[in-house]
Amino acid sequence: MIDRPPPFLQAPRCLRASGKVRLHLCLVAVFSLNLQGATLFEYYASDWNGPNNSWASRTGSQELFYDTFNGSAPQQGSSTIAGVAVATAVFDGNDFFTSPFVTGRPWAGLNQFSVSLVFKSNAPGAQTQTDINAFWNQRGVLGFELGGGGQGEFAIGLYNNGSPSGAVAASTGLGSGDNGVSAGNLNDNNWHTLTMAVANLANGSFRQTVYVDGTQVGSSLERAYGAVGALADASFSLGTIRGTASGQRFVGEVARLRFDSAPLTASDITTLHSNYLGAVGIPEPSSSLLMGLGALTLVAIRSRQRRRGKK
C-alpha cells in the first residue's frame, strides 16, 4: 500500500499534466488559492504624476481626476511607512480627486464588496457631528453621498466620538438607513491600513466589518438591505465624501486605495496589511499559499523517492 499524505497536502490535479505545462498549471493553481472576487480598481500614489494630472488605476479603466474647493490641487509627497520611503498624495482640506462622471461604473449594483485604504490623517480635532451613521456630515476621507438614507453609498469619514481628535467611521447606505462602524481613533498622524468588507448574507441582509492594520476592530450586526440594496451608479471622491453637506474636509496623505467586488477574508486582509496593500515591498505569503507550496514540495520529494526505488 502506498503511504499517502493527508488530503489537505495531496497533489493538486495539475500534477497529472506532463511536460513543461505541469509547472505552469501548478503555479496557477497555487497562486489562485486566495482570490476573492475581482479587484475593480487600485491606485498607487507612486503612479500619479502630481498636480493637474489624473491618477490612473493599475486595474480597470477608472481614472481619478483632481478637483478643488478653493483653487488648489492635491500635491505629491513622500513619507516613510514601515521603514520604507513611499510616494503619497497630500490633501490640505481644499482639494480632492473624483472618479469620472460616466454611467456604467464597475461598482454599480454590487451588494457586497471591500474598500481598502492606506492613509495618514492629521485633520484638526473632532468636528460637531456626533452621529456615527451620518456620514453625509462627517469630515470626509473617501466615498459619496446621494441624499437621504439608504441610497446605495459607501464612505469613510471622521466624526466626534467624544475624544479630542475624533474617530474614523466606515459607512454604507445599503440598508433602509445609513450604517456606520467605528474604526477607532485613527486621526493620529500615523500610517494605517483600513478595510471595510461588506458581505451579502444571502437572506436579504448584510454584514459590515471593519479592519485596521490587519485586525478586525468592529462589525455591525446583521442588517436588512433597503429598497436600493446595492451600490449606486455614482462617482466617489478621495479627499472628501462626494455630495456631502459638511464643510470640514480631509487633511492628510494617501498612499494606496483598492476596491474589490467581494468581501476580503480576514486572512486576505492580514496579508495585505503586511505590505500596506503593496505600497511597501513584497507581500508575505498567505497560509494557503504556503500550504500549496508545501504540497508541491512533498509530492516532488515522494515522486523522486519512488523513481529511486524502481532503479
Side-chain angles (χ1 to χ4, degrees):
M1 184 174 70
I2 298 175
D3 181 23
R4 295 183 183 277
F8 66 87
L9 284 180
Q10 287 181 15
R13 191 171 297 177
C14 62
L15 284 177
R16 298 175 188 173
S18 59
K20 293 182 180 179
V21 74
R22 176 183 295 181
L23 178 59
H24 172 75
L25 289 175
C26 288
L27 288 175
V28 169
V30 170
F31 281 90
S32 298
L33 287 172
N34 233 18
L35 290 180
Q36 300 287 328
T39 302
L40 300 185
F41 58 77
E42 49 185 343
Y43 298 98
Y44 291 77
S46 57
D47 295 340
W48 178 50
N49 291 325
N52 304 322
N53 288 285
S54 59
W55 188 354
S57 170
R58 291 191 183 182
T59 302
S61 58
Q62 292 289 314
E63 287 195 2
L64 298 179
F65 63 89
Y66 72 94
D67 211 331
T68 181
F69 292 108
N70 296 310
S72 64
Q75 300 293 311
Q76 283 181 308
S78 62
S79 187
T80 300
I81 303 178
V84 178
V86 299
T88 67
V90 181
F91 302 84
D92 66 3
N94 294 311
D95 40 58
F96 57 98
F97 289 97
T98 292
S99 63
F101 299 130
V102 294
T103 58
R105 300 169 181 88
W107 54 87
L110 292 178
N111 62 2
Q112 60 176 4
F113 60 91
S114 298
V115 58
S116 303
L117 184 69
V118 178
F119 74 112
K120 178 173 71 170
S121 175
N122 56 2
Q127 62 180 81
T128 57
Q129 181 53 261
T130 59
D131 185 352
I132 190 174
N133 300 314
F135 62 81
W136 57 271
N137 198 27
Q138 295 173 358
R139 190 189 302 279
V141 179
L142 168 70
F144 65 95
E145 194 273 335
L146 298 176
Q151 297 299 305
E153 309 104 325
F154 71 88
I156 296 173
L158 281 77
Y159 74 104
N160 186 349
N161 70 336
S163 67
S165 61
V168 171
S171 308
T172 63
L174 298 180
S176 56
D178 298 331
N179 181 51
V181 176
S182 178
N185 297 341
L186 305 183
N187 189 24
D188 58 5
N189 205 32
N190 292 312
W191 283 101
H192 297 283
T193 59
L194 186 154
T195 295
M196 174 173 64
V198 176
N200 176 12
L201 302 182
N203 59 357
S205 63
F206 66 96
R207 178 171 289 111
Q208 188 171 316
T209 307
V210 175
Y211 300 81
V212 172
D213 299 335
T215 300
Q216 180 178 328
V217 296
S219 181
S220 66
L221 298 175
E222 182 175 323
R223 296 179 62 89
Y225 286 116
V228 176
L231 289 179
D233 193 356
S235 294
F236 73 89
S237 290
L238 175 62
T240 186
I241 296 174
R242 182 159 195 84
T244 182
S246 175
Q248 303 190 62
R249 305 166 185 117
F250 178 58
V251 177
E253 300 177 61
V254 170
R256 184 86 158 81
L257 170 62
R258 167 176 167 151
F259 192 100
D260 291 270
S261 62
L264 297 174
T265 67
S267 176
D268 293 331
I269 292 167
T270 298
T271 300
L272 286 171
H273 168 66
S274 69
N275 73 334
Y276 288 81
L277 278 65
V280 175
I282 300 173
E284 296 177 358
S286 67
S287 58
S288 50
L289 174 58
L290 291 173
M291 186 176 291
L293 291 174
L296 292 178
T297 302
L298 179 59
V299 170
I301 292 172
R302 291 190 180 279
S303 177
R304 183 178 299 175
Q305 289 173 339
R306 294 190 187 103
R307 286 197 301 270
R308 288 177 177 174
K310 292 180 180 179
K311 292 181 180 179

